[in-house]
Amino acid sequence: MTVTATTDKTGARTPEAVGVIENARERIDALDDRIIGLIQERMAVSAVIQEARITSGGRRVNLSREMEILGHYRDALGKPGTTLAMTLLELCRGRV
């Protein structure tokens, strides 16, 4: 790939910046793969919890626990953390 094509792809204006961006993007892609794997693991663990709760006569969702999780993410990441936590909770609830 030519430097011009690479700079167009990265938005960088120097070959050095292109290298930094490409390396950082590779790290981000690897991190994203790990995050996706962790989310899938979280979904499986959540399914075990839900099954145990339902089998014992309880409800699928425990709202007080969800509020704890929302608070944890908000405290760690600010307002966007709440949105992220809501998405995780939605993914992990399965079909309600």
Side-chain angles (χ1 to χ4, degrees):
M1 186 176 288
T2 67
V3 173
T4 303
T6 305
T7 57
D8 289 345
K9 184 176 179 184
T10 64
R13 294 180 182 239
T14 66
E16 295 79 17
V18 168
V20 169
I21 291 167
E22 287 177 341
N23 289 335
R25 284 182 176 172
E26 286 177 16
R27 288 186 60 208
I28 285 174
D29 290 345
L31 288 167
D32 285 344
D33 288 342
R34 288 173 47 199
I35 290 166
I36 290 167
L38 289 169
I39 291 169
Q40 290 170 332
E41 184 178 346
R42 189 188 194 289
M43 290 168 69
V45 171
S46 183
V48 169
I49 292 168
Q50 289 174 41
E51 181 65 28
R53 192 180 299 121
I54 291 167
T55 300
S56 72
R59 298 171 54 135
R60 176 184 296 263
V61 176
N62 181 327
L63 294 178
S64 64
R65 174 63 178 150
E66 289 195 356
M67 293 307 292
E68 287 177 26
I69 293 166
L70 290 169
H72 180 68
Y73 275 78
R74 182 189 61 247
D75 292 346
L77 302 172
K79 186 178 179 183
T82 304
T83 303
L84 176 59
M86 287 297 299
T87 300
L88 282 172
L89 290 170
E90 183 179 341
L91 283 167
C92 292
R93 282 185 198 123
R95 294 185 179 265
V96 179

